[in-house]
């Protein structure tokens, strides 16, 4: 089923009418429930997701450890998947739906054809590269210069902003996976933050105060 070009234009403004037409005809609109893995490390990427609605979480894993790299918001795509698509290489990340999401899947063939025939389309990905680079530099700064309590609160605030509400349904173990630390460390830090009046802890839910 063809996606309405106007729907794509709302989330990807500034492109040409021809590009919208190609994306609407060649792209596949898919509804994906929360918690589904969209991309896996080690698997070849044959289609690029562009988020029309919802939120994706991108992580890197090493054996039993996992760390959050960035979120993919409405109107954004995964820059790591873009790189894997155009170089025909395996994914180096995992992407999971953080909420019920709607994505436009663009095949690798269509993506490469668009890049060749419409150089202006590259500008969209150049902007994403710059944005992700700045995000990762910020993440490195936090790891080096901030205590875990501070990093955890920033993590919770960011997740709250991405989800659009102060109540976050999440377990201590899930936080530990995202932040690359032990669950016990997370639990201690959260109890301290609750005493400081920053959060309110509930069963499998945290409220930012």
């Amino acid at each position: 089923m063809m996606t309405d070009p106007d729907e794509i234009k709302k989330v990807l403004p500034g492109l040409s009418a021809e590009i919208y037409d190609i994306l609407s005809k060649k792209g596949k609109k898919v509804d994906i429930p929360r918690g589904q893995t969209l991309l896996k490390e080690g698997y070849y990427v044959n289609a690029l997701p562009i988020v029309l609605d919802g939120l994706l979480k991108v992580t890197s894993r090493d054996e039993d450890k996992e760390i959050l790299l960035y979120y993919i918001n409405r109107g954004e795509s995964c820059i790591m998947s873009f790189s894997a698509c155009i170089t025909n290489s395996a994914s180096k990340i995992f992407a999971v739906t953080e909420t019920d999401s709607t994505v436009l899947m663009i095949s690798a063939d269509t993506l490469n054809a668009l890049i060749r025939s419409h150089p202006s389309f590259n500008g969209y990905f150049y902007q994403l590269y710059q944005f992700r680079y700045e995000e990762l530099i910020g993440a490195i700064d936090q790891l080096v210069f901030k205590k875990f309590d501070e990093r955890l609160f920033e993590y919770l605030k960011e997740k709250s902003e991405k989800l659009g509400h102060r109540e976050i349904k999440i377990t201590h173990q899930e936080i530990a996976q995202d932040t690359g630390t032990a669950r016990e460390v997370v639990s201690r830090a959260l109890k301290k933050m609750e005493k400081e009046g920053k959060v309110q802890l509930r069963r499998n839910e945290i409220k930012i105060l």
Side-chain angles (χ1 to χ4, degrees):
M1 181 178 177
M2 189 176 79
T3 308
D4 185 350
D6 288 336
E7 182 180 0
I8 301 173
K9 188 175 182 179
K10 287 179 181 178
V11 297
L12 296 176
L15 302 176
S16 70
E18 190 175 357
I19 292 176
Y20 293 130
D21 185 57
I22 293 171
L23 291 175
S24 69
K25 291 177 179 177
K26 299 289 188 178
K28 182 180 179 182
K29 184 178 175 181
V30 184
D31 294 321
I32 307 173
R34 178 183 182 274
Q36 296 297 305
T37 300
L38 195 60
L39 299 167
K40 289 184 178 182
E41 183 180 2
Y43 285 72
Y44 280 80
V45 180
N46 54 25
L48 178 74
I50 297 177
V51 179
L52 299 178
D53 191 37
L55 184 69
L56 307 186
K57 180 177 71 173
V58 176
T59 62
S60 177
R61 300 176 188 175
D62 181 18
E63 295 180 355
D64 60 339
K65 291 186 178 181
E66 178 179 324
I67 190 164
L68 172 67
L69 296 179
Y70 51 82
Y71 292 101
I72 304 175
N73 303 284
R74 181 175 183 266
E76 295 179 353
S77 185
C78 178
I79 208 65
M80 298 291 286
S81 300
F82 170 75
S83 177
C85 259
I86 62 175
T87 59
N88 190 32
S89 57
S91 174
K92 296 181 180 179
I93 52 88
F94 288 84
V96 179
T97 48
E98 187 76 354
T99 64
D100 292 344
S101 302
T102 302
V103 301
L104 186 68
M105 301 299 293
I106 309 299
S107 71
D109 288 343
T110 299
L111 178 64
N112 281 287
L114 268 171
I115 291 171
R116 289 193 301 270
S117 61
H118 296 79
S120 61
F121 189 56
N122 293 337
Y124 167 70
F125 293 100
Y126 291 150
Q127 290 177 348
L128 279 180
Y129 265 117
Q130 179 66 24
F131 181 62
R132 296 303 176 211
Y133 175 76
E134 292 173 357
E135 273 194 329
L136 291 173
I137 289 297
I140 292 171
D141 285 344
Q142 284 207 12
L143 283 170
V144 174
F145 299 112
K146 288 191 176 183
K147 296 179 179 179
F148 178 71
D149 292 7
E150 296 175 304
R151 290 197 287 117
L152 177 58
F153 192 53
E154 290 297 323
Y155 160 87
L156 292 172
K157 287 198 299 181
E158 181 185 19
K159 184 176 282 289
S160 173
E161 290 170 1
K162 299 292 186 185
L163 296 174
H165 47 77
R166 292 188 296 169
E167 294 80 13
I168 306 169
K169 293 189 180 298
I170 194 168
T171 66
H172 293 192
Q173 182 59 42
E174 288 172 329
I175 296 173
Q177 289 176 341
D178 279 355
T179 56
T181 191
R183 183 185 61 79
E184 293 78 11
V185 174
V186 171
S187 297
R188 286 197 299 269
L190 286 173
K191 288 177 182 177
K192 179 183 176 184
M193 287 163 57
E194 186 174 41
K195 289 180 180 179
E196 294 171 345
K198 294 180 178 180
V199 300
Q200 185 179 83
L201 303 182
R202 302 168 182 170
R203 182 174 178 81
N204 294 337
E205 184 179 274
I206 300 169
K207 181 178 181 179
I208 306 294
L209 300 178

